[in-house]
Amino acid sequence: MGIQRSACGLCAALLIAGASGQAVAQSYGNFVLGAGFTPDPQTARGRTGGATQANRFGPQCAGMIDSTPDHTIKVTSTLDLQLSVDSTTDSTLVVVGPAGVFCDDDSGGQLDARIDARLTPGEYAVYVGHLDTAGDYTLTLSEGAGPAAGTGGMYANFTLGAGFTPDPQVGTGTTGGGVAASTYGGHCTGMIDSTPDHRLTITSTVTLRLAVTSTTDSSLVVRGPGKVLCDDDSGGQLDAAVVDSFRPGEYEIYVGHLGQAGEYRLEISETR
């Protein structure tokens, strides 16, 4: 970062409330938040950017960020959180944690970044970057409606069991990677990433349909206890879909392509 972080900024575990009931902004402050947190909003400030590319977290992430998080968020209970940047430059935002990787460039307007995410409990790293030159920023966190029901965001992970809500659950991302899907069996087609796009934790036996809609010819690989599911065009319009019964355990989901990379939306719904 372009400015030195103060000792109090690095050690701050919470943004403390001022006399007005609003959270006092601290440089590079950290947060502990859960559903219904107060005060709302909470804020922190800092300097955008750093020496590393945001795309180290995925091709959907843009700009230059620091090698270490600008802020951390300890989420104590699932909540819908809006993270908004107000800066003097063209800002970007990256949030990395148990619910997945969330990235944005201009959704906040005026070249600033904003992310609406459903965050599950755990530790999240927050990076505020820039596309051009460094600038000062204020980061505001507020509880809100979050994304559309069931939307976990880019490269989201899922924990599901019979009767899960909301249904469907949704994740997004960019297809493909540098690995041939046939690595996992001759019935698997397309190019996929070397690491899963999504992780699926099943808590009780459930029958699921995983369906992709995309801007390309997508393929799908699902790996887990006792199974490797692969598909190319069962979702229609060159998109992939699989239906199967899933018993408790950990599963990996890869969304690939047969031609060029494209953006995708993955929907996971229960079938009976």
Side-chain angles (χ1 to χ4, degrees):
M1 284 292 175
I3 61 176
Q4 185 176 1
R5 303 183 184 191
S6 65
C8 64
L10 289 172
C11 296
L14 290 170
L15 294 178
I16 58 175
S20 66
Q22 296 289 317
V24 177
Q26 295 186 11
S27 294
Y28 302 105
N30 299 322
F31 305 86
V32 178
L33 304 176
F37 68 84
T38 57
D40 183 350
Q42 300 206 13
T43 59
R45 57 179 176 256
R47 187 82 171 166
T48 65
T52 65
Q53 294 279 351
N55 62 16
R56 65 191 173 99
F57 292 113
Q60 79 281 10
C61 303
M64 300 297 297
I65 60 173
D66 206 350
S67 58
T68 57
D70 299 307
H71 313 276
T72 61
I73 306 173
K74 181 178 181 180
V75 174
T76 59
S77 61
T78 299
L79 80 158
D80 292 321
L81 189 66
Q82 182 178 97
L83 303 90
S84 302
V85 178
D86 182 15
S87 76
T88 59
T89 188
D90 188 353
S91 68
T92 66
L93 186 59
V94 180
V95 179
V96 182
V101 177
F102 305 84
C103 298
D104 187 68
D105 178 8
D106 292 334
S107 295
Q110 299 296 314
L111 301 181
D112 274 322
R114 186 187 72 198
I115 289 173
D116 293 279
R118 175 161 294 153
L119 302 184
T120 52
E123 300 280 346
Y124 292 81
V126 180
Y127 303 82
V128 183
H130 59 251
L131 290 177
D132 189 8
T133 58
D136 297 316
Y137 71 83
T138 298
L139 175 69
T140 300
L141 307 185
S142 181
E143 188 172 14
T151 301
M154 282 196 171
Y155 304 108
N157 298 321
F158 306 92
T159 300
L160 305 176
F164 67 84
T165 58
D167 183 349
Q169 297 274 318
V170 178
T172 59
T174 301
T175 64
V179 176
S182 58
T183 299
Y184 299 118
H187 61 305
C188 303
T189 58
M191 298 299 295
I192 60 174
D193 206 347
S194 58
T195 57
D197 298 306
H198 310 275
R199 296 185 185 274
L200 172 62
T201 301
I202 300 296
T203 58
S204 61
T205 300
V206 60
T207 300
L208 298 177
R209 182 176 190 265
L210 295 85
V212 177
T213 56
S214 74
T215 60
T216 188
D217 186 355
S218 68
S219 63
L220 185 60
V221 178
V222 182
R223 300 176 62 236
K227 71 176 66 196
V228 176
L229 304 173
C230 296
D231 186 68
D232 178 9
D233 293 334
S234 295
Q237 299 297 316
L238 301 181
D239 275 321
V242 298
V243 178
D244 207 79
S245 177
F246 292 78
R247 67 175 187 263
E250 302 290 331
Y251 297 81
E252 299 177 342
I253 302 171
Y254 302 80
V255 183
H257 58 251
L258 274 71
Q260 297 180 335
E263 302 304 311
Y264 72 82
R265 173 186 172 94
L266 172 70
E267 290 195 4
I268 304 177
S269 56
E270 186 174 11
T271 62
R272 303 182 190 278

PDB file of all heavy atoms in Angstrom, residues 49-84:
ATOM      1  N   GLY A  49      -5.082  -0.379  -3.630  1.00  0.00           N
ATOM      2  CA  GLY A  49      -4.046  -0.996  -4.450  1.00  0.00           C
ATOM      3  C   GLY A  49      -2.901  -1.629  -3.716  1.00  0.00           C
ATOM      4  O   GLY A  49      -2.879  -1.748  -2.498  1.00  0.00           O
ATOM      5  N   GLY A  50      -1.943  -2.077  -4.522  1.00  0.00           N
ATOM      6  CA  GLY A  50      -0.757  -2.758  -4.030  1.00  0.00           C
ATOM      7  C   GLY A  50       0.023  -3.293  -5.207  1.00  0.00           C
ATOM      8  O   GLY A  50      -0.159  -2.865  -6.349  1.00  0.00           O
ATOM      9  N   ALA A  51       0.857  -4.280  -4.946  1.00  0.00           N
ATOM     10  CA  ALA A  51       1.787  -4.759  -5.962  1.00  0.00           C
ATOM     11  C   ALA A  51       1.373  -6.073  -6.607  1.00  0.00           C
ATOM     12  O   ALA A  51       2.121  -6.627  -7.412  1.00  0.00           O
ATOM     13  CB  ALA A  51       3.175  -4.915  -5.339  1.00  0.00           C
ATOM     14  N   THR A  52       0.187  -6.619  -6.253  1.00  0.00           N
ATOM     15  CA  THR A  52      -0.224  -7.899  -6.817  1.00  0.00           C
ATOM     16  C   THR A  52      -1.499  -7.749  -7.633  1.00  0.00           C
ATOM     17  O   THR A  52      -2.310  -6.854  -7.384  1.00  0.00           O
ATOM     18  CB  THR A  52      -0.446  -8.953  -5.714  1.00  0.00           C
ATOM     19  OG1 THR A  52      -1.558  -8.551  -4.896  1.00  0.00           O
ATOM     20  CG2 THR A  52       0.784  -9.103  -4.849  1.00  0.00           C
ATOM     21  N   GLN A  53      -1.680  -8.647  -8.610  1.00  0.00           N
ATOM     22  CA  GLN A  53      -2.857  -8.628  -9.468  1.00  0.00           C
ATOM     23  C   GLN A  53      -4.031  -9.291  -8.753  1.00  0.00           C
ATOM     24  O   GLN A  53      -3.907 -10.391  -8.208  1.00  0.00           O
ATOM     25  CB  GLN A  53      -2.571  -9.382 -10.773  1.00  0.00           C
ATOM     26  CG  GLN A  53      -1.540  -8.726 -11.661  1.00  0.00           C
ATOM     27  CD  GLN A  53      -2.125  -7.601 -12.497  1.00  0.00           C
ATOM     28  OE1 GLN A  53      -3.341  -7.405 -12.536  1.00  0.00           O
ATOM     29  NE2 GLN A  53      -1.265  -6.867 -13.175  1.00  0.00           N
ATOM     30  N   ALA A  54      -5.198  -8.640  -8.815  1.00  0.00           N
ATOM     31  CA  ALA A  54      -6.396  -9.215  -8.203  1.00  0.00           C
ATOM     32  C   ALA A  54      -6.796 -10.517  -8.872  1.00  0.00           C
ATOM     33  O   ALA A  54      -7.439 -11.374  -8.237  1.00  0.00           O
ATOM     34  CB  ALA A  54      -7.551  -8.212  -8.264  1.00  0.00           C
ATOM     35  N   ASN A  55      -6.406 -10.708 -10.145  1.00  0.00           N
ATOM     36  CA  ASN A  55      -6.825 -11.921 -10.843  1.00  0.00           C
ATOM     37  C   ASN A  55      -6.144 -13.182 -10.320  1.00  0.00           C
ATOM     38  O   ASN A  55      -6.415 -14.284 -10.799  1.00  0.00           O
ATOM     39  CB  ASN A  55      -6.647 -11.787 -12.357  1.00  0.00           C
ATOM     40  CG  ASN A  55      -5.205 -11.576 -12.786  1.00  0.00           C
ATOM     41  OD1 ASN A  55      -4.276 -11.800 -12.023  1.00  0.00           O
ATOM     42  ND2 ASN A  55      -5.026 -11.121 -14.022  1.00  0.00           N
ATOM     43  N   ARG A  56      -5.279 -13.053  -9.306  1.00  0.00           N
ATOM     44  CA  ARG A  56      -4.763 -14.258  -8.659  1.00  0.00           C
ATOM     45  C   ARG A  56      -5.878 -15.006  -7.944  1.00  0.00           C
ATOM     46  O   ARG A  56      -5.750 -16.193  -7.637  1.00  0.00           O
ATOM     47  CB  ARG A  56      -3.632 -13.919  -7.688  1.00  0.00           C
ATOM     48  CG  ARG A  56      -4.003 -13.080  -6.475  1.00  0.00           C
ATOM     49  CD  ARG A  56      -2.733 -12.602  -5.771  1.00  0.00           C
ATOM     50  NE  ARG A  56      -2.960 -11.660  -4.700  1.00  0.00           N
ATOM     51  CZ  ARG A  56      -2.991 -11.969  -3.416  1.00  0.00           C
ATOM     52  NH1 ARG A  56      -2.808 -13.220  -3.038  1.00  0.00           N
ATOM     53  NH2 ARG A  56      -3.178 -11.032  -2.492  1.00  0.00           N
ATOM     54  N   PHE A  57      -7.010 -14.319  -7.691  1.00  0.00           N
ATOM     55  CA  PHE A  57      -8.171 -14.963  -7.087  1.00  0.00           C
ATOM     56  C   PHE A  57      -9.185 -15.423  -8.130  1.00  0.00           C
ATOM     57  O   PHE A  57     -10.218 -15.985  -7.779  1.00  0.00           O
ATOM     58  CB  PHE A  57      -8.851 -14.019  -6.087  1.00  0.00           C
ATOM     59  CG  PHE A  57      -8.011 -13.753  -4.873  1.00  0.00           C
ATOM     60  CD1 PHE A  57      -7.486 -12.490  -4.638  1.00  0.00           C
ATOM     61  CD2 PHE A  57      -7.736 -14.755  -3.965  1.00  0.00           C
ATOM     62  CE1 PHE A  57      -6.706 -12.237  -3.520  1.00  0.00           C
ATOM     63  CE2 PHE A  57      -6.958 -14.520  -2.839  1.00  0.00           C
ATOM     64  CZ  PHE A  57      -6.442 -13.257  -2.614  1.00  0.00           C
ATOM     65  N   GLY A  58      -8.901 -15.187  -9.407  1.00  0.00           N
ATOM     66  CA  GLY A  58      -9.798 -15.606 -10.467  1.00  0.00           C
ATOM     67  C   GLY A  58      -9.866 -14.570 -11.559  1.00  0.00           C
ATOM     68  O   GLY A  58      -9.656 -13.370 -11.304  1.00  0.00           O
ATOM     69  N   PRO A  59     -10.179 -15.005 -12.792  1.00  0.00           N
ATOM     70  CA  PRO A  59     -10.183 -14.067 -13.920  1.00  0.00           C
ATOM     71  C   PRO A  59     -11.250 -12.995 -13.825  1.00  0.00           C
ATOM     72  O   PRO A  59     -11.185 -11.999 -14.540  1.00  0.00           O
ATOM     73  CB  PRO A  59     -10.418 -14.990 -15.128  1.00  0.00           C
ATOM     74  CG  PRO A  59     -11.091 -16.196 -14.553  1.00  0.00           C
ATOM     75  CD  PRO A  59     -10.513 -16.376 -13.190  1.00  0.00           C
ATOM     76  N   GLN A  60     -12.226 -13.184 -12.935  1.00  0.00           N
ATOM     77  CA  GLN A  60     -13.283 -12.187 -12.786  1.00  0.00           C
ATOM     78  C   GLN A  60     -12.848 -11.012 -11.917  1.00  0.00           C
ATOM     79  O   GLN A  60     -13.582 -10.022 -11.804  1.00  0.00           O
ATOM     80  CB  GLN A  60     -14.538 -12.846 -12.182  1.00  0.00           C
ATOM     81  CG  GLN A  60     -14.485 -13.069 -10.665  1.00  0.00           C
ATOM     82  CD  GLN A  60     -13.676 -14.277 -10.248  1.00  0.00           C
ATOM     83  OE1 GLN A  60     -12.983 -14.877 -11.052  1.00  0.00           O
ATOM     84  NE2 GLN A  60     -13.770 -14.647  -8.978  1.00  0.00           N
ATOM     85  N   CYS A  61     -11.671 -11.099 -11.311  1.00  0.00           N
ATOM     86  CA  CYS A  61     -11.189 -10.061 -10.398  1.00  0.00           C
ATOM     87  C   CYS A  61     -10.221  -9.134 -11.128  1.00  0.00           C
ATOM     88  O   CYS A  61      -9.317  -9.598 -11.822  1.00  0.00           O
ATOM     89  CB  CYS A  61     -10.502 -10.694  -9.195  1.00  0.00           C
ATOM     90  SG  CYS A  61     -11.551 -11.838  -8.266  1.00  0.00           S
ATOM     91  N   ALA A  62     -10.410  -7.830 -10.951  1.00  0.00           N
ATOM     92  CA  ALA A  62      -9.640  -6.838 -11.708  1.00  0.00           C
ATOM     93  C   ALA A  62      -8.865  -5.923 -10.780  1.00  0.00           C
ATOM     94  O   ALA A  62      -9.209  -5.730  -9.615  1.00  0.00           O
ATOM     95  CB  ALA A  62     -10.579  -6.004 -12.583  1.00  0.00           C
ATOM     96  N   GLY A  63      -7.801  -5.324 -11.350  1.00  0.00           N
ATOM     97  CA  GLY A  63      -7.063  -4.288 -10.647  1.00  0.00           C
ATOM     98  C   GLY A  63      -5.856  -4.794  -9.884  1.00  0.00           C
ATOM     99  O   GLY A  63      -5.529  -5.976  -9.891  1.00  0.00           O
ATOM    100  N   MET A  64      -5.204  -3.857  -9.224  1.00  0.00           N
ATOM    101  CA  MET A  64      -4.037  -4.141  -8.402  1.00  0.00           C
ATOM    102  C   MET A  64      -4.437  -4.078  -6.939  1.00  0.00           C
ATOM    103  O   MET A  64      -5.107  -3.135  -6.507  1.00  0.00           O
ATOM    104  CB  MET A  64      -2.926  -3.125  -8.677  1.00  0.00           C
ATOM    105  CG  MET A  64      -2.447  -3.105 -10.119  1.00  0.00           C
ATOM    106  SD  MET A  64      -1.697  -4.668 -10.635  1.00  0.00           S
ATOM    107  CE  MET A  64      -0.267  -4.749  -9.527  1.00  0.00           C
ATOM    108  N   ILE A  65      -4.020  -5.070  -6.160  1.00  0.00           N
ATOM    109  CA  ILE A  65      -4.347  -5.135  -4.739  1.00  0.00           C
ATOM    110  C   ILE A  65      -3.085  -5.417  -3.937  1.00  0.00           C
ATOM    111  O   ILE A  65      -2.034  -5.748  -4.492  1.00  0.00           O
ATOM    112  CB  ILE A  65      -5.401  -6.210  -4.445  1.00  0.00           C
ATOM    113  CG1 ILE A  65      -4.892  -7.606  -4.872  1.00  0.00           C
ATOM    114  CG2 ILE A  65      -6.723  -5.881  -5.127  1.00  0.00           C
ATOM    115  CD1 ILE A  65      -5.808  -8.744  -4.467  1.00  0.00           C
ATOM    116  N   ASP A  66      -3.209  -5.300  -2.620  1.00  0.00           N
ATOM    117  CA  ASP A  66      -2.079  -5.581  -1.747  1.00  0.00           C
ATOM    118  C   ASP A  66      -1.904  -7.093  -1.616  1.00  0.00           C
ATOM    119  O   ASP A  66      -2.812  -7.883  -1.903  1.00  0.00           O
ATOM    120  CB  ASP A  66      -2.327  -4.960  -0.376  1.00  0.00           C
ATOM    121  CG  ASP A  66      -1.033  -4.653   0.359  1.00  0.00           C
ATOM    122  OD1 ASP A  66       0.033  -5.088  -0.096  1.00  0.00           O
ATOM    123  OD2 ASP A  66      -1.099  -3.976   1.400  1.00  0.00           O
ATOM    124  N   SER A  67      -0.733  -7.522  -1.164  1.00  0.00           N
ATOM    125  CA  SER A  67      -0.460  -8.940  -0.966  1.00  0.00           C
ATOM    126  C   SER A  67      -1.138  -9.472   0.291  1.00  0.00           C
ATOM    127  O   SER A  67      -1.315 -10.684   0.434  1.00  0.00           O
ATOM    128  CB  SER A  67       1.046  -9.186  -0.887  1.00  0.00           C
ATOM    129  OG  SER A  67       1.610  -8.425   0.174  1.00  0.00           O
ATOM    130  N   THR A  68      -1.498  -8.585   1.200  1.00  0.00           N
ATOM    131  CA  THR A  68      -2.212  -8.962   2.418  1.00  0.00           C
ATOM    132  C   THR A  68      -3.524  -8.191   2.480  1.00  0.00           C
ATOM    133  O   THR A  68      -3.643  -7.107   1.907  1.00  0.00           O
ATOM    134  CB  THR A  68      -1.383  -8.653   3.678  1.00  0.00           C
ATOM    135  OG1 THR A  68      -1.050  -7.257   3.691  1.00  0.00           O
ATOM    136  CG2 THR A  68      -0.101  -9.472   3.693  1.00  0.00           C
ATOM    137  N   PRO A  69      -4.543  -8.707   3.175  1.00  0.00           N
ATOM    138  CA  PRO A  69      -5.848  -8.035   3.202  1.00  0.00           C
ATOM    139  C   PRO A  69      -5.773  -6.638   3.803  1.00  0.00           C
ATOM    140  O   PRO A  69      -5.016  -6.387   4.744  1.00  0.00           O
ATOM    141  CB  PRO A  69      -6.709  -8.959   4.064  1.00  0.00           C
ATOM    142  CG  PRO A  69      -6.016 -10.284   4.030  1.00  0.00           C
ATOM    143  CD  PRO A  69      -4.548  -9.984   3.917  1.00  0.00           C
ATOM    144  N   ASP A  70      -6.582  -5.736   3.257  1.00  0.00           N
ATOM    145  CA  ASP A  70      -6.733  -4.408   3.858  1.00  0.00           C
ATOM    146  C   ASP A  70      -7.593  -4.475   5.109  1.00  0.00           C
ATOM    147  O   ASP A  70      -7.403  -3.710   6.051  1.00  0.00           O
ATOM    148  CB  ASP A  70      -7.370  -3.453   2.849  1.00  0.00           C
ATOM    149  CG  ASP A  70      -6.521  -3.298   1.609  1.00  0.00           C
ATOM    150  OD1 ASP A  70      -5.329  -2.975   1.743  1.00  0.00           O
ATOM    151  OD2 ASP A  70      -7.041  -3.509   0.501  1.00  0.00           O
ATOM    152  N   HIS A  71      -8.564  -5.393   5.095  1.00  0.00           N
ATOM    153  CA  HIS A  71      -9.476  -5.581   6.219  1.00  0.00           C
ATOM    154  C   HIS A  71      -9.803  -7.059   6.330  1.00  0.00           C
ATOM    155  O   HIS A  71      -9.735  -7.795   5.340  1.00  0.00           O
ATOM    156  CB  HIS A  71     -10.785  -4.803   6.021  1.00  0.00           C
ATOM    157  CG  HIS A  71     -10.592  -3.393   5.587  1.00  0.00           C
ATOM    158  ND1 HIS A  71     -10.341  -2.356   6.456  1.00  0.00           N
ATOM    159  CD2 HIS A  71     -10.590  -2.841   4.349  1.00  0.00           C
ATOM    160  CE1 HIS A  71     -10.207  -1.229   5.778  1.00  0.00           C
ATOM    161  NE2 HIS A  71     -10.345  -1.501   4.493  1.00  0.00           N
ATOM    162  N   THR A  72     -10.169  -7.499   7.530  1.00  0.00           N
ATOM    163  CA  THR A  72     -10.729  -8.833   7.706  1.00  0.00           C
ATOM    164  C   THR A  72     -12.105  -8.691   8.352  1.00  0.00           C
ATOM    165  O   THR A  72     -12.355  -7.756   9.117  1.00  0.00           O
ATOM    166  CB  THR A  72      -9.841  -9.730   8.576  1.00  0.00           C
ATOM    167  OG1 THR A  72      -9.710  -9.153   9.883  1.00  0.00           O
ATOM    168  CG2 THR A  72      -8.472  -9.905   7.952  1.00  0.00           C
ATOM    169  N   ILE A  73     -12.984  -9.620   8.002  1.00  0.00           N
ATOM    170  CA  ILE A  73     -14.316  -9.661   8.595  1.00  0.00           C
ATOM    171  C   ILE A  73     -14.509 -11.036   9.222  1.00  0.00           C
ATOM    172  O   ILE A  73     -14.416 -12.055   8.522  1.00  0.00           O
ATOM    173  CB  ILE A  73     -15.429  -9.428   7.560  1.00  0.00           C
ATOM    174  CG1 ILE A  73     -15.209  -8.132   6.786  1.00  0.00           C
ATOM    175  CG2 ILE A  73     -16.798  -9.406   8.240  1.00  0.00           C
ATOM    176  CD1 ILE A  73     -16.195  -7.936   5.635  1.00  0.00           C
ATOM    177  N   LYS A  74     -14.760 -11.091  10.503  1.00  0.00           N
ATOM    178  CA  LYS A  74     -15.150 -12.328  11.157  1.00  0.00           C
ATOM    179  C   LYS A  74     -16.667 -12.358  11.192  1.00  0.00           C
ATOM    180  O   LYS A  74     -17.296 -11.546  11.876  1.00  0.00           O
ATOM    181  CB  LYS A  74     -14.580 -12.426  12.572  1.00  0.00           C
ATOM    182  CG  LYS A  74     -14.959 -13.728  13.279  1.00  0.00           C
ATOM    183  CD  LYS A  74     -14.342 -13.820  14.667  1.00  0.00           C
ATOM    184  CE  LYS A  74     -14.727 -15.132  15.340  1.00  0.00           C
ATOM    185  NZ  LYS A  74     -14.135 -15.232  16.704  1.00  0.00           N
ATOM    186  N   VAL A  75     -17.273 -13.263  10.422  1.00  0.00           N
ATOM    187  CA  VAL A  75     -18.731 -13.376  10.347  1.00  0.00           C
ATOM    188  C   VAL A  75     -19.168 -14.436  11.350  1.00  0.00           C
ATOM    189  O   VAL A  75     -18.740 -15.591  11.281  1.00  0.00           O
ATOM    190  CB  VAL A  75     -19.180 -13.741   8.921  1.00  0.00           C
ATOM    191  CG1 VAL A  75     -20.680 -13.992   8.877  1.00  0.00           C
ATOM    192  CG2 VAL A  75     -18.799 -12.620   7.953  1.00  0.00           C
ATOM    193  N   THR A  76     -20.023 -14.048  12.276  1.00  0.00           N
ATOM    194  CA  THR A  76     -20.439 -14.940  13.363  1.00  0.00           C
ATOM    195  C   THR A  76     -21.745 -15.657  13.068  1.00  0.00           C
ATOM    196  O   THR A  76     -22.040 -16.678  13.691  1.00  0.00           O
ATOM    197  CB  THR A  76     -20.569 -14.156  14.671  1.00  0.00           C
ATOM    198  OG1 THR A  76     -21.541 -13.107  14.500  1.00  0.00           O
ATOM    199  CG2 THR A  76     -19.228 -13.551  15.075  1.00  0.00           C
ATOM    200  N   SER A  77     -22.558 -15.126  12.147  1.00  0.00           N
ATOM    201  CA  SER A  77     -23.794 -15.781  11.724  1.00  0.00           C
ATOM    202  C   SER A  77     -24.095 -15.325  10.307  1.00  0.00           C
ATOM    203  O   SER A  77     -23.702 -14.224   9.901  1.00  0.00           O
ATOM    204  CB  SER A  77     -24.956 -15.451  12.655  1.00  0.00           C
ATOM    205  OG  SER A  77     -25.221 -14.059  12.685  1.00  0.00           O
ATOM    206  N   THR A  78     -24.770 -16.168   9.543  1.00  0.00           N
ATOM    207  CA  THR A  78     -25.029 -15.851   8.142  1.00  0.00           C
ATOM    208  C   THR A  78     -25.747 -14.517   8.006  1.00  0.00           C
ATOM    209  O   THR A  78     -26.727 -14.252   8.713  1.00  0.00           O
ATOM    210  CB  THR A  78     -25.875 -16.964   7.487  1.00  0.00           C
ATOM    211  OG1 THR A  78     -25.139 -18.199   7.558  1.00  0.00           O
ATOM    212  CG2 THR A  78     -26.173 -16.641   6.042  1.00  0.00           C
ATOM    213  N   LEU A  79     -25.251 -13.674   7.112  1.00  0.00           N
ATOM    214  CA  LEU A  79     -25.884 -12.384   6.883  1.00  0.00           C
ATOM    215  C   LEU A  79     -25.687 -11.951   5.443  1.00  0.00           C
ATOM    216  O   LEU A  79     -24.737 -12.370   4.780  1.00  0.00           O
ATOM    217  CB  LEU A  79     -25.344 -11.306   7.826  1.00  0.00           C
ATOM    218  CG  LEU A  79     -24.006 -10.643   7.484  1.00  0.00           C
ATOM    219  CD1 LEU A  79     -23.922  -9.291   8.183  1.00  0.00           C
ATOM    220  CD2 LEU A  79     -22.828 -11.497   7.892  1.00  0.00           C
ATOM    221  N   ASP A  80     -26.612 -11.111   4.979  1.00  0.00           N
ATOM    222  CA  ASP A  80     -26.491 -10.454   3.683  1.00  0.00           C
ATOM    223  C   ASP A  80     -25.783  -9.126   3.917  1.00  0.00           C
ATOM    224  O   ASP A  80     -26.269  -8.293   4.684  1.00  0.00           O
ATOM    225  CB  ASP A  80     -27.855 -10.226   3.050  1.00  0.00           C
ATOM    226  CG  ASP A  80     -28.530 -11.525   2.657  1.00  0.00           C
ATOM    227  OD1 ASP A  80     -27.818 -12.418   2.168  1.00  0.00           O
ATOM    228  OD2 ASP A  80     -29.741 -11.660   2.842  1.00  0.00           O
ATOM    229  N   LEU A  81     -24.649  -8.945   3.278  1.00  0.00           N
ATOM    230  CA  LEU A  81     -23.811  -7.780   3.546  1.00  0.00           C
ATOM    231  C   LEU A  81     -23.535  -7.023   2.264  1.00  0.00           C
ATOM    232  O   LEU A  81     -23.213  -7.630   1.238  1.00  0.00           O
ATOM    233  CB  LEU A  81     -22.490  -8.221   4.177  1.00  0.00           C
ATOM    234  CG  LEU A  81     -21.583  -7.112   4.707  1.00  0.00           C
ATOM    235  CD1 LEU A  81     -22.243  -6.407   5.897  1.00  0.00           C
ATOM    236  CD2 LEU A  81     -20.224  -7.675   5.113  1.00  0.00           C
ATOM    237  N   GLN A  82     -23.674  -5.712   2.324  1.00  0.00           N
ATOM    238  CA  GLN A  82     -23.270  -4.848   1.215  1.00  0.00           C
ATOM    239  C   GLN A  82     -21.968  -4.156   1.597  1.00  0.00           C
ATOM    240  O   GLN A  82     -21.874  -3.517   2.647  1.00  0.00           O
ATOM    241  CB  GLN A  82     -24.332  -3.803   0.907  1.00  0.00           C
ATOM    242  CG  GLN A  82     -23.964  -2.914  -0.275  1.00  0.00           C
ATOM    243  CD  GLN A  82     -25.052  -1.900  -0.607  1.00  0.00           C
ATOM    244  OE1 GLN A  82     -24.984  -0.754  -0.195  1.00  0.00           O
ATOM    245  NE2 GLN A  82     -26.049  -2.348  -1.357  1.00  0.00           N
ATOM    246  N   LEU A  83     -20.961  -4.296   0.737  1.00  0.00           N
ATOM    247  CA  LEU A  83     -19.667  -3.651   0.917  1.00  0.00           C
ATOM    248  C   LEU A  83     -19.524  -2.616  -0.180  1.00  0.00           C
ATOM    249  O   LEU A  83     -19.529  -2.962  -1.371  1.00  0.00           O
ATOM    250  CB  LEU A  83     -18.512  -4.654   0.846  1.00  0.00           C
ATOM    251  CG  LEU A  83     -18.530  -5.832   1.815  1.00  0.00           C
ATOM    252  CD1 LEU A  83     -19.266  -7.029   1.219  1.00  0.00           C
ATOM    253  CD2 LEU A  83     -17.100  -6.261   2.188  1.00  0.00           C
ATOM    254  N   SER A  84     -19.400  -1.342   0.180  1.00  0.00           N
ATOM    255  CA  SER A  84     -19.349  -0.254  -0.797  1.00  0.00           C
ATOM    256  C   SER A  84     -18.079   0.554  -0.610  1.00  0.00           C
ATOM    257  O   SER A  84     -17.688   0.861   0.526  1.00  0.00           O
ATOM    258  CB  SER A  84     -20.556   0.672  -0.637  1.00  0.00           C
ATOM    259  OG  SER A  84     -21.765  -0.042  -0.787  1.00  0.00           O
TER     260      SER A  84
END
